[in-house]
Amino acid sequence: MKLRTLLMGAIASTAFAPMVMADGHEGERGRDGEVKIIYWQAPSILNPYLSGGTKDLESASLVLEPMGRYDETGALVAYLAEEIPTVENGGVSEDLTSITWKIAEGMEWSDGTPVTSADLVFTAEYCMHPEGGCAQGAKFDGVSNVEALDERTVKVTFSEPKPNPYGPFMGGQSPIIQAAQFADCLGAKAPECTEQNFNPIGTGPFKVVEFRPNDVITMEANDNFRHEGKPAFATLTFKGGGDAVAAGRAVMETGEFDYAWNMQLAPDVLAKMAEAGKGKPISAFGTLVERLEMNLTNPSPDLPAETRSTVAEPHPFLTDENVRRALSMAIDRELLVEVGYGQAGRPTCNLVPAPALYASDNTECLTQDIDGAKALLDEAGWTDSDGDGVRDKDGVKLSILYQTSTNAVRQDFQALIKDWWSQIGVETELRNLDASVFFGGDPGSPDTFQKFYADVEMYANNFDGTDPQNYLAAYRCGNEPKPSSQWQGENINRFCDPEYDALLDELARTGELDKRGEIAKKLNNMLTKDSMTIVPLVDRGRVSAASNTLGGVILNTWDSELWNVADWYRIKE
């Protein structure tokens, strides 16, 4: 096997090529006044290393940038970097144990100071600190050393060959933060640095003027942004909160806003809004999967926080694979798609639905089987011993607290799933939480998806780029959110299997592309098909809405949705 037989998706031109507008739209920076964006899940922090919530990652991406991004095709493009490192250009070592990034000449922070290798080294130290609770820790999986070679060059060394070395500093989930600003925010101090976390100094097209958590962010054009004449907008208002219906109307019916994210609305609702003529929905498929996470730990409020965060106290009935499997079998995914997404959704049994190389042929869950679910529970000894309609065993009832964020489609899903589960003898209590809180990552809140103080929870997320290695590494043992990590960590359901970890390590050292695909499929199946620890529901197309007067928008499912906001402009009538 040749380890250098890389590589994950196409690598685009080594320097980021700004988009050329069809109408030759050019001019002074800030020429088009204000642009208004609405995310109905309100950002609560502008530090992507302290939150896994998409609304926080994407709002921060307007300010903070990585060395390289993934474009709308999944290709790698340089942003702060001089070029994307590869084996061919010498940036990735022949043995795949290191990658060397070089900052492009003249890169500056919005405060006018230069971006240096010290900032990259510090960013790695910040995320890799054992007490920091970095939400993007999987990006640095396998990193043994990060060192500055000179003022503009940084070498990342891995503990073993890394066929996909584009974890650290690549994509919207792994941007560079300024060492000078965050110097006193390492480790356990990270969440205490309110000024830094709310007002990060960045290199992006905009800089923060005022951040009001869970409400509004006011930004203005970064005068030190590297591209002349960009951004076209002098100011940016980022409104958070409300719901998807109000956000869609604000763009497509009233024209109050220019761009609305995540139109998680029924197809007929979107079509009706578009009839008003102010804007239109835009969509693209990527790797976004709506799924159920099964809690493998006991969420009882009677237990201390540390115990509730680990499998030291296993869940009283969801640790029984038969129960998890029966819950999945009872679900009609085709109907969920029809009700919630129409052509913008596809039923799926996979956590990783794309690219095709990594997508398992797992289709067993696509057929609803209520009778089969009942039989499985019977065989496992879960029966209704007292005639109250709820199955029980050894004094434990199948009574589930099922939580998600507040959203019309998600509440429709909850109602349907509750009914299907009642048909197999499972009692379900529904809870929905404000999305800004649920996805907020506040270590003091009991209602975040990371704390998972429920039995089952539903949400969607995805990974940037086209290779799922770092995404799958989220479920490594020890990566669970817990008090000692400020409740950050991506292993939400506290899954832990040494065989899974060993397979992750094999993926990390495998270079041949087809073999990587085989391993990734096995990992996907261990989480889904083989154990039903994660129960995928819908492969969701990303659907947003853009004003008819907003030009330059390219929906990107492989990176931050706001990846090319520097190229947005106002279409003149």
Side-chain angles (χ1 to χ4, degrees), residues 403-568:
Q403 70 180 18
T404 189
S405 61
T406 303
N407 168 271
V409 170
R410 285 193 168 132
Q411 270 67 80
D412 285 344
F413 277 27
Q414 280 186 306
L416 288 167
I417 291 171
K418 176 179 180 176
D419 179 64
W420 292 325
W421 285 352
S422 71
Q423 294 179 42
I424 64 171
V426 177
E427 179 181 54
T428 307
E429 176 188 349
L430 302 180
R431 178 167 69 180
N432 63 83
L433 300 160
D434 182 274
S436 299
V437 175
F438 187 57
F439 295 113
D442 179 0
S445 171
D447 295 325
T448 63
F449 79 105
Q450 294 101 327
K451 280 194 175 175
F452 201 174
Y453 284 173
D455 303 298
V456 175
E457 65 183 8
M458 178 174 67
Y459 60 90
N461 69 8
N462 63 339
F463 55 94
D464 57 15
T466 57
D467 187 273
Q469 179 178 321
N470 293 324
Y471 187 60
L472 291 166
Y475 294 91
R476 186 185 290 277
C477 297
N479 198 26
E480 67 278 354
K482 48 189 175 293
S484 60
S485 67
Q486 316 301 319
W487 289 104
Q488 296 298 331
E490 303 119 311
N491 191 348
I492 300 303
N493 48 24
R494 284 69 177 178
F495 173 85
C496 182
D497 184 340
E499 290 186 16
Y500 184 90
D501 289 2
L503 204 54
L504 277 175
D505 294 338
E506 184 180 348
L507 178 63
R509 56 178 177 262
T510 299
E512 197 271 312
L513 207 54
D514 288 340
K515 182 62 176 176
R516 287 182 64 79
E518 292 175 11
I519 297 172
K521 290 174 184 177
K522 289 180 182 177
L523 290 165
N524 171 90
N525 290 348
M526 288 179 74
L527 294 170
T528 57
K529 178 181 178 181
D530 299 341
S531 69
M532 294 295 175
T533 301
I534 298 172
V535 177
L537 303 173
V538 180
D539 175 9
R540 286 175 45 192
R542 188 77 69 88
V543 181
S544 293
S547 166
N548 291 334
T549 69
L550 186 63
V553 175
I554 300 176
L555 186 59
N556 186 346
T557 63
W558 307 108
D559 206 299
S560 167
E561 194 161 310
L562 304 177
W563 72 294
N564 78 324
V565 71
D567 292 326
W568 291 7

Side-chain angles (χ1 to χ4, degrees), residues 3-4 6 85-100 155-158 160-163 165:
L3 284 177
R4 64 166 292 166
L6 208 43
T86 65
V87 173
E88 288 71 23
N89 64 25
V92 176
S93 64
E94 289 278 346
D95 62 2
L96 305 183
T97 60
S98 70
I99 181 171
T100 301
K155 181 179 180 181
V156 180
T157 302
F158 303 101
E160 58 186 354
K162 197 84 163 179

Side-chain angles (χ1 to χ4, degrees), residues 212-485:
R212 294 193 304 218
N214 303 320
D215 188 8
V216 177
I217 312 170
T218 304
M219 299 187 182
E220 64 184 12
N222 175 8
D223 290 335
N224 291 308
F225 188 57
R226 57 193 173 276
H227 293 301
E228 184 177 352
K230 296 182 179 183
F233 294 100
T235 60
L236 183 149
T237 298
F238 194 113
K239 173 63 178 173
D243 55 43
V245 173
R249 286 176 176 165
V251 171
M252 294 186 281
E253 292 185 359
T254 69
E256 180 185 358
F257 283 82
D258 297 298
Y259 192 86
W261 162 85
N262 191 14
M263 294 294 91
Q264 196 174 2
L265 299 169
D268 58 327
V269 175
L270 285 171
K272 184 67 175 176
M273 288 181 180
E275 289 177 2
K278 296 286 188 179
K280 56 187 177 296
I282 54 177
S283 63
F285 277 96
T287 58
L288 186 66
V289 171
E290 190 81 12
R291 79 296 197 100
L292 301 177
E293 296 270 353
M294 301 288 171
N295 198 341
L296 299 182
T297 67
N298 192 335
S300 171
D302 297 330
L303 296 171
E306 188 68 46
T307 303
R308 294 171 77 179
S309 70
T310 69
V311 291
E313 181 72 27
H315 195 281
F317 58 84
L318 285 177
T319 46
D320 184 341
E321 181 187 323
N322 296 296
V323 174
R324 302 194 300 270
R325 191 168 299 278
L327 294 173
S328 177
M329 292 168 66
I331 296 171
D332 184 346
R333 290 165 174 78
E334 291 280 359
L335 184 57
L336 293 181
V337 169
E338 180 182 339
V339 167
Y341 299 101
Q343 293 185 342
R346 300 181 290 215
T348 186
C349 303
N350 289 325
L351 178 64
V352 179
L357 173 68
Y358 301 108
S360 172
D361 59 0
N362 177 17
T363 60
E364 291 179 11
C365 80
L366 299 183
T367 301
Q368 184 185 40
D369 187 0
I370 295 288
D371 290 338
K374 291 179 180 178
L376 183 59
L377 292 174
D378 286 339
E379 293 170 10
W382 293 96
T383 61
D384 181 9
S385 66
D386 56 9
D388 66 352
V390 181
R391 293 176 183 263
D392 59 86
K393 179 181 179 181
D394 299 330
V396 176
K397 284 187 172 292
L398 293 186
S399 183
I400 287 175
L401 175 58
Y402 169 18
Q403 70 180 18
T404 189
S405 61
T406 303
N407 168 271
V409 170
R410 285 193 168 132
Q411 270 67 80
D412 285 344
F413 277 27
Q414 280 186 306
L416 288 167
I417 291 171
K418 176 179 180 176
D419 179 64
W420 292 325
W421 285 352
S422 71
Q423 294 179 42
I424 64 171
V426 177
E427 179 181 54
T428 307
E429 176 188 349
L430 302 180
R431 178 167 69 180
N432 63 83
L433 300 160
D434 182 274
S436 299
V437 175
F438 187 57
F439 295 113
D442 179 0
S445 171
D447 295 325
T448 63
F449 79 105
Q450 294 101 327
K451 280 194 175 175
F452 201 174
Y453 284 173
D455 303 298
V456 175
E457 65 183 8
M458 178 174 67
Y459 60 90
N461 69 8
N462 63 339
F463 55 94
D464 57 15
T466 57
D467 187 273
Q469 179 178 321
N470 293 324
Y471 187 60
L472 291 166
Y475 294 91
R476 186 185 290 277
C477 297
N479 198 26
E480 67 278 354
K482 48 189 175 293
S484 60
S485 67

Side-chain angles (χ1 to χ4, degrees), residues 67 82 100-105 115-121 146-155:
M67 293 295 280
E82 191 171 80
T100 301
W101 290 94
K102 191 174 186 67
I103 302 166
E105 192 170 354
V115 181
T116 72
S117 55
D119 295 306
L120 275 71
V121 172
V146 179
E147 60 181 320
L149 302 184
D150 57 41
E151 281 293 297
R152 291 169 46 210
T153 310
V154 166
K155 181 179 180 181

